[in-house]
Amino acid sequence: MFKRLKDPKFIAVALSITVIFTIASWGLSRRVIAVSSSTYENLKIFSDVIGVIQDNYTESVDVKELIYNAIKGMVKGLDPHSSFLTPDEYSEMQIETKGSFGGIGIEIGMRDNMLTVVAPIEDTPAFKAGILAGDRIVKIGEKHTKDLTLNEAVNLMRGPKDTPVTIYIMRDGFQSPKAFTLIRATIKVKSVKFRPLEDGYGYVRIVQFQENTTEELGAALKELKGKNGTLNGLVLDMRNNPGGLLDEAVSVSNEFLDSGIIVYTKGRVQGKDVKFTADTARMQPDFPIIVLVNGGSASASEIVAGALQDHKRAIILGTTSFGKASVQTIISLADGSAVRLTTAKYYTPSGRSIQAKGIEPDIVVGEVVKEHLKEKDLERHLLPEDGPPENNEGNASGRTRIIEAVSKGEEGEDVQLKRALEYLKSWHIFLERSTKAG
């Protein structure tokens, strides 16, 4: 399924909170960087500055490092998701998509020009040490984070298993940065977790979208169905899911849909307008689904939520999602480095752009967590669009929304999950009553 997305020249890879296309073709990247003669004239200033530094700087400099740093600054200034990757960083990113890497286990972003924790990954050193979403990392080891890029910060926190790294955290209520010394581990992010709920209802949590997510989802649902091969309903939990591989988001959606658009992209450059459609190979029957989202649900998880919502295949419950609706293309370069560049925006099947807006739940349950870093909080984020483009294939606006004033449950109680299960049970009650009435 979706074999066209598995071609080596179009391998989707992901870093924190991204949906990414990869183009591993130097020939194509050469065409991408074709520039006008006036641009070459202006580049003379750049080469002059390199010459001045080489001739006059107090110490000798590495020219390649100068150029790399200049490129990093240039690309970083575009938007929060575009960046330049050195050969080592590019290799590290490719490793990460396989779900196993050495580190402490946190997703990070920039907020108010400060390195901020988006979410700790479950069952990792950071999670166990009590690192929280919204924590501001002011120092890693002896390195202050003020002028670090995201990639540089990630590289400082990564390292061999069983080696220590100290990060300094500022949090509301802290009088000064608090040091957390963490022992690095091999971070194996299990993409899918599941368990049965009462009365034949199932719970599946997609942690992030990796290479085998659809396969793991299928295995989880098969086990949840048990010997009789049925489910009364499913809670699909994508809260704090930072995203991941585009082809897996499309493939997961296709598990529950048998026709229509799943997501489509639009870009300025020819070839970036792509439609991904369900291929009639749906594997799951029409059991009721409630999808859980919150402010930490981003990118690929928003694609799935948006597709199931627009096709009326699932009810979305929780709080408004992160709001990232841009596509990054990885363009590899001759020396093994790469440029991760925002090249398109994506839209839900009904034509909605959720950029800097997010997916609005059908049933709002829970308070908005202020610590959640959202797309609209990121510096240089792409601006939201006013509404769906013309000639869209339907209109998701006008949906009936339920806003619940839910009191806090007992300590440790998952109120959103509890309400989702209650709604699934009600679904069957009303269905039985309407059938009898008919």
Side-chain angles (χ1 to χ4, degrees), residues 78-267:
L78 296 173
D79 67 76
H81 306 295
S82 295
S83 62
F84 173 75
L85 306 173
T86 66
D88 288 343
E89 291 168 342
Y90 186 26
S91 297
E92 185 71 23
M93 185 184 66
Q94 292 170 307
I95 291 171
E96 184 175 287
T97 64
K98 298 183 183 296
S100 178
F101 50 90
I104 61 174
I106 56 174
E107 305 286 349
I108 57 174
M110 298 298 293
R111 182 176 194 174
D112 299 329
N113 206 31
M114 295 189 69
L115 191 67
T116 305
V117 177
V118 173
I121 300 172
E122 292 180 22
D123 302 324
T124 64
F127 183 86
K128 293 174 183 176
I131 303 300
L132 303 177
D135 282 349
R136 298 175 295 282
I137 304 174
V138 297
K139 198 164 70 165
I140 303 170
E142 298 303 315
K143 193 88 169 179
H144 289 275
T145 61
K146 181 180 179 182
D147 297 319
L148 292 181
T149 66
L150 289 178
N151 289 327
E152 289 168 341
V154 167
N155 287 338
L156 287 173
M157 289 184 283
R158 293 277 173 86
K161 178 184 176 183
D162 297 328
T163 59
V165 60
T166 300
I167 60 175
Y168 294 81
I169 295 292
M170 272 301 294
R171 182 186 299 169
D172 290 347
F174 285 5
Q175 298 299 316
S176 60
K178 180 179 178 180
F180 287 76
T181 298
L182 308 174
I183 304 300
R184 296 182 178 99
T186 299
I187 309 299
K188 294 183 178 179
V189 181
K190 187 170 177 57
S191 181
V192 174
K193 299 181 179 181
F194 67 97
R195 69 176 187 271
L197 301 173
E198 57 186 89
D199 300 327
Y201 295 92
Y203 170 85
V204 172
R205 170 163 165 71
I206 301 180
V207 179
Q208 66 182 53
F209 290 86
Q210 299 169 180
E211 289 183 354
N212 299 316
T213 297
T214 306
E215 183 180 336
E216 290 181 25
L217 173 66
L221 291 173
K222 182 178 180 180
E223 187 164 336
L224 287 170
K225 290 174 186 175
K227 293 180 180 179
N228 61 8
T230 60
L231 270 178
N232 292 329
L234 174 70
V235 178
L236 182 62
D237 189 353
M238 295 191 294
R239 291 173 295 181
N240 296 319
N241 180 324
L245 303 181
L246 172 66
D247 60 336
E248 288 297 322
V250 171
S251 184
V252 165
S253 301
N254 194 71
E255 287 282 300
F256 304 106
L257 301 173
D258 55 14
S259 64
I261 293 173
I262 291 173
V263 66
Y264 67 92
T265 66
K266 285 188 174 184

Side-chain angles (χ1 to χ4, degrees), residues 1 34-35 44 138 206 230 238 271 320 322 326 345 397 402:
M1 188 163 54
V35 293
K44 186 177 184 303
V138 297
I206 301 180
T230 60
M238 295 191 294
T320 303
F322 183 84
S326 60
K345 298 177 182 178
S397 63
I402 300 173

Side-chain angles (χ1 to χ4, degrees), residues 362-376:
D362 302 297
I363 304 172
V364 178
V365 176
E367 299 178 355
V368 176
V369 180
K370 67 178 182 178
E371 287 82 8
H372 270 140
L373 183 70
K374 289 195 173 185
E375 176 77 9
K376 64 183 181 181

Side-chain angles (χ1 to χ4, degrees), residues 345 353-357 381-387:
K345 298 177 182 178
S353 170
I354 63 159
Q355 173 61 25
K357 297 177 183 176
H381 68 268
L382 300 179
L383 296 177
E385 296 183 8
D386 292 335

